[in-house]
Amino acid sequence: MATYAIGDIQGCFHTLLALLQRVGFREAHDRLWLVGDLVNRGPRSLDVLRFVRDLGDHATSVLGNHDLHLIASALGVASPKARDTVAEVLRAPDAEHLIAWLRARPLLFEEGGYALVHAGWLPGWDDATAAREARAIEAVLRSDGAGDLLRRESVPAIEWDEHAPDERRLRASLAAFTRMRTCSSPAILRLDFSGPPEHAPLGSRPWFELPSRRGAGKTVLFGHWAALGFRRGEGYVALDSGCVWGRALTALRLDDGAVFQEPAIDAPPAS
Ligand SMILES: [Mn+2]
């Protein structure tokens, strides 16, 4: 049995299938760990969702910001964006089941020295805090409170404060799990930057480079940062190699560290 960690798919269904063929993925034996953002911007979100759901226990997918945008759209609390391609999911006959399935996905999955998240692990978090925050948000996402949590506020940065009221703290935690790229302190994450790491805003650094990182006992597998691309460093592996932008989809075989990249074959979004 092999386990493959795979970067942001974003509706690139044909590239995903080609990558799985390249690695020799066996549905009945192997496992996929997906960093989230299964949907949006790319052309075949509905096919990706159904495929991953049908893999059952053989696929573990954590929630990304685009997955949450789909859920928020289904709940009527998101403002549609020009480049959205989630309408086909919302119109599908099985939309209700797919959204319910998506709402039951985790934000953080941990096994065998690895932590799988969409965007990152807040440098100030220890293991227990990260797990507690993930479980608390997952419970809200499955409840009637999901819409309120997912209503997006547009802010350039968020500070995570252990002592803040629950709703404010969980909002910051959700941003860390699903939208973070750089931090200006172990507890302050920037939300206004998506460029390459060498252009990080003054005073901020990629979250995985902060010296005070406390979740350092684990290797964090994450995506979300196409401008960073595939990168392996101490305690992290970045897996978003910009498939939806016409670059490549990356798989890392955890058993031996082998890396596979499939050139994108799905049509990139119109710009
Ligand atoms: Mn993302």
Side-chain angles (χ1 to χ4, degrees):
M1 184 189 87
T3 301
Y4 299 93
I6 295 183
D8 308 45
I9 299 165
Q10 295 200 251
C12 294
F13 185 56
H14 290 126
T15 312
L16 172 65
L17 295 185
L19 177 65
L20 295 181
Q21 191 160 33
R22 179 185 293 269
V23 304
F25 176 69
R26 303 162 304 165
E27 285 190 23
H29 300 278
D30 301 331
R31 295 191 305 170
L32 301 184
W33 288 7
L34 308 171
V35 299
D37 278 359
L38 299 178
V39 301
N40 210 5
R41 302 281 168 84
R44 311 276 299 249
S45 294
L46 185 56
D47 289 331
V48 173
L49 277 180
R50 287 172 174 163
F51 179 79
V52 174
R53 178 202 56 192
D54 291 347
L55 286 173
D57 290 346
H58 288 266
T60 298
S61 190
V62 291
L63 288 164
N65 54 307
H66 285 287
D67 306 317
L68 295 174
H69 180 65
L70 171 57
I71 296 169
S73 302
L75 294 174
V77 298
S79 26
K81 303 199 178 86
R83 290 188 296 190
D84 279 356
T85 60
V86 293
E88 60 157 352
V89 178
L90 298 171
R91 282 195 306 259
D94 52 346
E96 204 175 314
H97 285 114
L98 289 168
I99 299 295
W101 174 81
L102 202 56
R103 284 174 71 174
R105 295 311 93 206
L107 282 159
L108 163 70
F109 174 74
E110 298 180 89
E111 190 184 299
Y114 290 104
L116 180 71
V117 291
H118 179 63
W121 178 295
L122 195 74
W125 285 342
D126 59 21
D127 291 4
T129 303
R132 184 198 71 204
E133 295 296 276
R135 299 300 91 85
I137 297 168
E138 290 157 8
V140 175
L141 289 177
R142 293 162 198 185
S143 77
D144 291 341
D148 282 338
L149 182 65
L150 293 178
R151 227 180 284 270
R152 182 77 82 76
E153 49 185 18
S154 199
V155 289
I158 294 188
E159 177 167 18
W160 185 85
D161 175 2
E162 171 88 63
H163 306 292
D166 273 7
E167 201 202 314
R168 219 178 89 207
R169 202 192 69 246
L170 292 183
R171 213 168 253 288
S173 295
L174 184 59
F177 281 126
T178 62
R179 295 168 61 203
M180 176 171 64
R181 293 187 183 91
T182 67
C183 289
S184 47
S185 85
I188 300 180
L189 52 131
R190 303 278 303 236
L191 296 171
D192 57 351
F193 172 74
S194 62
E198 60 273 20
H199 295 158
L202 201 63
S204 81
R205 306 167 70 169
W207 63 265
F208 49 84
E209 284 181 3
L210 263 75
S212 52
R213 190 141 74 93
R214 298 170 72 191
K218 297 216 161 79
T219 297
V220 180
L221 305 167
F222 69 101
H224 183 63
W225 197 348
L228 175 67
F230 173 73
R231 187 191 284 205
R232 255 194 287 214
E234 200 181 331
Y236 73 89
V237 185
L239 288 161
D240 184 1
S241 46
C243 179
V244 78
W245 305 113
R247 286 157 54 203
L249 187 62
T250 297
L252 168 71
R253 189 163 58 206
L254 297 180
D255 315 270
D256 62 357
V259 175
F260 306 86
Q261 293 198 306
E262 187 68 36
I265 51 173
D266 294 89
S271 52

